Amino acid sequence: MRKMKKLAALCLAMLMAFSNMAVTAAAYDAVGHEHDETCAEATVQPRRPAAWCHACGQAMTEIDAGRDDKGRYVTYQCKTLNCPNKTPLTFYW
């Protein structure tokens, strides 16, 4: 009985290991894939960071966005009335 339990546990462990390798290989797409305009990976763009004003706690408004020698940037400014923070805030990514 003891050997049967050990053998069953070994078979179950091997089954789980092989099924895990199959899932990993399927996710890896070992066959290969050509990235073109219709591919989702070619069209997905990174999200812009959200900015919250540290003075009033409201969302800041985007006033400028672009690219320079440091990389992509987005500049935000608080447009809430009576907010003391009117300094533009720039994020690079």
Side-chain angles (χ1 to χ4, degrees):
M1 188 68 172
R2 192 178 206 154
K3 284 188 178 183
M4 271 308 257
K5 283 187 179 182
K6 285 185 178 182
L7 186 61
L10 177 65
C11 289
L12 183 61
M14 287 177 52
L15 177 71
M16 289 172 49
F18 287 131
S19 66
N20 191 18
M21 285 192 293
V23 169
T24 306
Y28 177 67
D29 191 19
V31 176
H33 178 68
E34 295 293 327
H35 297 286
D36 57 1
E37 300 85 41
T38 60
C39 178
E41 292 179 9
T43 59
V44 173
Q45 299 295 320
R47 290 185 56 190
R48 292 183 175 179
W52 296 94
C53 180
H54 65 274
C56 65
Q58 298 297 315
M60 297 175 83
T61 306
E62 177 184 321
I63 58 171
D64 187 24
R67 190 182 286 265
D68 63 4
D69 56 342
K70 295 181 186 176
R72 290 186 189 189
Y73 69 90
V74 180
T75 304
Y76 295 98
Q77 187 174 21
C78 186
K79 300 289 186 179
T80 307
L81 297 175
N82 301 325
C83 180
N85 180 26
K86 295 299 179 189
T87 306
L89 178 64
T90 303
F91 287 107
Y92 283 93
W93 82 94

